[in-house]
Amino acid sequence: MREASTELLVELDQDSNVTDLLLGQHAKDPSHAAYARKGPNGWVDIPVQQFLDKVMALAKGLIAGGLAPGDTVAVMSGTRYEWTLVDFAIWFAGGVTVPVYETSSASQVEWILHDSGARRVFVEDQAKAELVAGVLAHSELLGDAVVTVVRMDDDGGAPNLASLAAAGAGVTDAELERHRSTAVLADVASLVYTSGTTGKPKGCEITHGNFALVATNIVEFLPEILRQEGARTLMFLPLAHVLARAVQVVCLSAGATLGHTAGAAQLLEDLATFKPTFLLVVPRIFEKVYAGASHKAALAGKERLFAAASAVAIDYSKALDAAARGKGSGPSFMLRARHALFDRLLYPKLRQAFGGQVKYTVSGASPLSSNDAHFFRGAGIPVLEGYGLTETTAPCTANTPSRTKVGTVGIPVPGTTIRVADDGEILVKGIGVFKGYHANEAANAEAFVDGFFRTGDLGSLDEDGFLTITGRKKDLLVTAGGKNVAPGPLEEKIREHQLVAQAVVVGDGRPFVSALVNLDPEGLENWCSAQRIAVMGLTEATSDARVREAVQGAIDQANLLVSKAESIRSFVLLDADFTVESGHLTPSLKLKRAAVVRDFEAHINGLYAQNKK
């Protein structure tokens, strides 16, 4: 199959905008807990009425300060309730939100403020305020531009959220409504800058229609998740990422209660108290939970029991998957019996890691190992993998509870068509596809063909319209012998090993394929404990024969996926970590391949020098 579509389920008034979703929830039930906020004594519900009142007060403050419809306003903050509050306030005032990752450098902040034209910036705390102030003091790009900085926390003085709301006391409801209702579905709601795996970030013009139509249609597409009684989720992904903000609007449209946590470090603790019914997760979280559970089992002398339970979970899920593909009748009687046993002994403890109430998880932002997907589904935590980009307002395909094929990223979401070009590139047309790149006609001309957005990703569609991602066009390696190699599947398989944090397959223009591997500090400590050997530091471990042998085993398993010409012949262990701060990961934890290859060029050259024949 070369093209697949899903019909639109919900249409919206063309004169409406995303703020109408909030007003619609208020009309249904102003006392409903739209959000929950963590306080010193636990989670406190925020009713729709309370949220709307604060949004309107802040919007009036923006209007009093001179914000005109269409003006851009930047937000630089980690994930927190105030982010959502400010986002809707900007929309109510008729403005356009410009997210800035909290980890952004001064040069990135300077570029985004310049390119977007934002003259107001909401910042999380004093540190962010000082960073922006430093940018403004020394920027040639911004020149003499006057930029107002507003603090979002309660620790600093004015201007802050309280002073902004107070400043808007004289703005009438009629004036606010004029601003709120100015934008229509076709108008830009947000300028979302790409995280920049290569080159300068480009501003993606995401419209009110993109957010609102995706949200209302996803609710109807996934009712088992979003319309279940007491639906609630905890957001920990950065809200500067379009996926997190799209999910926020989906939750608002569905009437699901949304909580916020600052990041992965607090996630497991907050899951235990918030108890979400569904969760948006990146693959690294699944890997961490699995590794932690395996380590605990080893410490308790139950390593064999965990291994058996893991194998049963994977086999059980694979049997379900085979049945979904019409290639089997589902789990056998014996497999069901063994699964039921472990569902009493071990799987509930694993489910407790996600709060104990999660019925579904949605995996996005980067590829998920099919082994991890099978394991967690078999353990009673169904994983629905989806696919999307900033330019598609996140989800353009997804698996659903009733239509799931592990290893694929699902079928097109409503109102979306997926086409696979002759060269294998995935093309997308539909309700989520952005308006275009801000002030960048050259990029726009390259981005579209026949009305479809060119994703740059490679994939295939099966006979049922399920999409499988096979790689990225720009990541394809061509060896000196002319062999095309897709690094993604190899890297995903290697990352399944407890010791591995990241793997980067290289070999473009080289005689054979190699890999850069860096070790996971926590995984290394747990592995050493399980091996009954002294815990090593990263530097020591990179030259340890036992560690190298274990990593070689992971590479051998990855090589089973490909032909001999595509297999990894050599590797080097790095004692450096790939992080957002090091410049090797995007804020959504995607690998910046070009940055890794550039920064570790000497290691790569060393690999090939050692292996010359």
Side-chain angles (χ1 to χ4, degrees):
M1 182 181 289
R2 302 303 295 271
E3 187 170 299
S5 300
T6 300
E7 290 186 4
L8 191 69
L9 298 177
V10 180
E11 295 186 6
L12 297 174
D13 184 343
Q14 294 298 309
D15 291 331
S16 65
N17 63 51
V18 73
T19 65
D20 288 296
L21 299 180
L22 175 55
L23 295 179
Q25 284 298 328
H26 180 261
K28 287 180 186 176
D29 182 3
S31 65
H32 169 68
Y35 301 95
R37 191 177 186 186
K38 188 178 180 182
N41 298 315
W43 294 92
V44 178
D45 286 345
I46 308 293
V48 175
Q49 182 69 66
Q50 181 180 331
F51 180 74
L52 179 60
D53 288 345
K54 289 185 177 295
V55 163
M56 293 174 67
L58 291 175
K60 287 182 176 181
L62 288 169
I63 294 168
L67 183 78
D71 282 355
T72 49
V73 182
V75 182
M76 186 178 188
S77 169
T79 297
R80 56 190 295 164
Y81 166 73
E82 290 83 1
W83 214 122
T84 308
L85 192 64
V86 165
D87 202 9
F88 272 90
I90 293 168
W91 286 335
F92 261 70
V96 174
T97 306
V98 182
V100 181
Y101 282 105
E102 59 171 325
T103 54
S104 294
S105 65
S107 61
Q108 289 170 325
V109 172
E110 179 187 34
W111 168 253
I112 291 173
L113 293 181
H114 163 71
D115 192 63
S116 68
R119 295 297 174 259
R120 295 167 181 80
V121 185
F122 286 93
V123 295
E124 179 178 26
D125 51 28
Q126 183 62 26
K128 304 294 186 299
E130 290 174 357
L131 187 150
V132 173
V135 168
L136 297 175
H138 303 100
S139 173
E140 293 183 4
L141 278 177
L142 294 169
D144 296 327
V146 177
V147 178
T148 302
V149 180
V150 180
R151 290 272 294 272
M152 295 164 66
D153 59 353
D154 297 325
D155 299 331
N160 54 26
L161 297 187
S163 67
L164 179 66
V171 175
T172 66
D173 289 346
E175 179 66 4
L176 174 62
E177 178 60 18
R178 186 182 71 80
H179 277 252
R180 185 201 71 81
S181 59
T182 297
V184 298
L185 292 185
D187 289 324
V188 177
S190 190
L191 268 183
V192 182
Y193 282 78
T194 58
S195 49
T197 54
T198 59
K200 276 190 179 298
K202 299 190 290 286
C204 299
E205 296 181 337
I206 310 296
T207 68
H208 284 270
N210 290 146
F211 278 123
L213 283 167
V214 165
T216 52
N217 279 275
I218 289 291
V219 172
E220 298 304 318
F221 187 58
L222 300 172
E224 305 95 325
I225 300 174
L226 295 161
R227 291 198 183 281
Q228 61 180 299
E229 186 71 25
R232 54 197 284 117
T233 193
L234 190 62
M235 178 60 66
F236 73 96
L237 294 182
L239 286 170
H241 192 285
V242 73
L243 174 59
R245 284 175 73 221
V247 169
Q248 284 209 135
V249 181
V250 168
C251 289
L252 178 69
S253 179
T257 301
L258 180 72
H260 299 84
T261 189
Q266 296 82 27
L267 180 61
L268 295 182
E269 177 186 333
D270 287 345
L271 285 172
T273 55
F274 187 82
K275 300 186 182 305
T277 61
F278 67 97
L279 198 62
L280 176 65
V281 184
V282 293
R284 194 62 182 147
I285 298 300
F286 288 115
E287 294 166 6
K288 288 284 190 183
V289 170
Y290 181 89
S294 177
H295 179 58
K296 285 181 181 178
L299 291 179
K302 297 179 179 179
E303 194 169 4
R304 287 188 177 182
L305 180 68
F306 183 84
S310 178
V312 166
I314 291 170
D315 288 346
Y316 187 84
S317 176
K318 285 183 175 179
L320 292 175
D321 203 55
R325 296 172 187 263
K327 298 179 180 179
S329 57
S332 67
F333 173 79
M334 183 60 70
L335 183 55
R336 289 200 305 273
R338 296 185 69 197
H339 183 268
L341 175 65
F342 286 122
D343 202 34
R344 292 196 300 272
L345 296 179
L346 193 143
Y347 301 151
K349 296 177 183 177
L350 195 71
R351 294 195 287 267
Q352 283 299 322
F354 292 93
Q357 301 297 320
V358 167
K359 296 181 176 65
Y360 294 98
T361 59
V362 178
S363 179
S366 60
L368 173 70
S369 156
S370 59
N371 237 33
D372 285 343
H374 281 305
F375 170 76
F376 282 100
R377 180 166 75 157
I381 306 167
V383 182
L384 305 175
E385 194 170 4
Y387 165 72
L389 305 93
T390 301
E391 290 89 344
T392 62
T393 319
C396 59
T397 70
N399 284 282
T400 74
S402 59
R403 298 189 68 187
T404 296
K405 291 185 182 182
V406 175
T408 78
V409 291
I411 60 176
V413 302
T416 302
T417 298
I418 301 293
R419 176 184 292 176
V420 177
D422 291 341
D423 63 355
E425 183 175 11
I426 300 164
L427 310 176
V428 185
K429 179 190 287 185
I431 58 173
V433 175
F434 73 144
K435 192 170 187 175
Y437 294 112
H438 176 65
N440 195 336
E441 289 308 314
N444 288 331
E446 293 179 6
F448 292 91
V449 56
D450 298 331
F452 282 80
F453 172 67
R454 303 172 61 178
T455 67
D457 290 317
L458 301 171
S460 61
L461 288 163
D462 70 11
E463 65 277 6
D464 297 318
F466 283 78
L467 179 66
T468 298
I469 307 297
T470 57
R472 185 146 180 86
K473 284 180 73 173
K474 68 180 181 182
D475 289 345
L476 274 180
L477 308 176
V478 183
T479 66
K483 185 66 178 178
N484 287 351
V485 180
L490 290 165
E491 292 167 349
E492 290 166 34
K493 190 64 179 177
I494 298 169
R495 282 203 308 269
E496 288 180 9
H497 196 282
Q498 179 183 24
L499 282 170
V500 178
Q502 291 287 347
V504 183
V505 173
V506 297
D508 199 41
R510 306 282 191 166
F512 54 85
V513 178
S514 297
L516 306 176
V517 178
N518 62 4
L519 302 174
D520 181 275
E522 183 181 346
L524 175 62
E525 182 178 345
N526 293 345
W527 182 84
C528 289
S529 298
Q531 299 296 313
R532 306 292 192 268
I533 60 178
V535 174
M536 292 178 271
L538 289 180
T539 302
E540 180 185 358
T542 58
S543 58
D544 185 89
R546 294 161 297 185
V547 173
R548 288 191 61 84
E549 183 181 0
V551 174
Q552 181 65 62
I555 288 174
D556 291 343
Q557 288 297 307
N559 283 341
L560 295 175
L561 302 174
V562 296
S563 68
K564 185 175 181 180
E566 298 168 277
S567 65
I568 298 167
R569 290 253 306 270
S570 65
F571 71 94
V572 62
L573 294 178
L574 306 174
D575 62 1
D577 195 10
F578 298 162
T579 64
V580 175
E581 290 72 22
S582 74
H584 299 123
L585 297 180
T586 71
S588 58
L589 306 184
K590 292 178 183 174
L591 189 72
K592 290 186 174 183
R593 186 178 301 277
V596 172
V597 170
R598 179 195 67 223
D599 293 346
F600 294 93
E601 182 180 10
H603 293 78
I604 297 171
N605 289 337
L607 277 172
Y608 291 99
Q610 293 169 14
N611 288 277
K612 280 185 177 179
K613 295 201 183 269

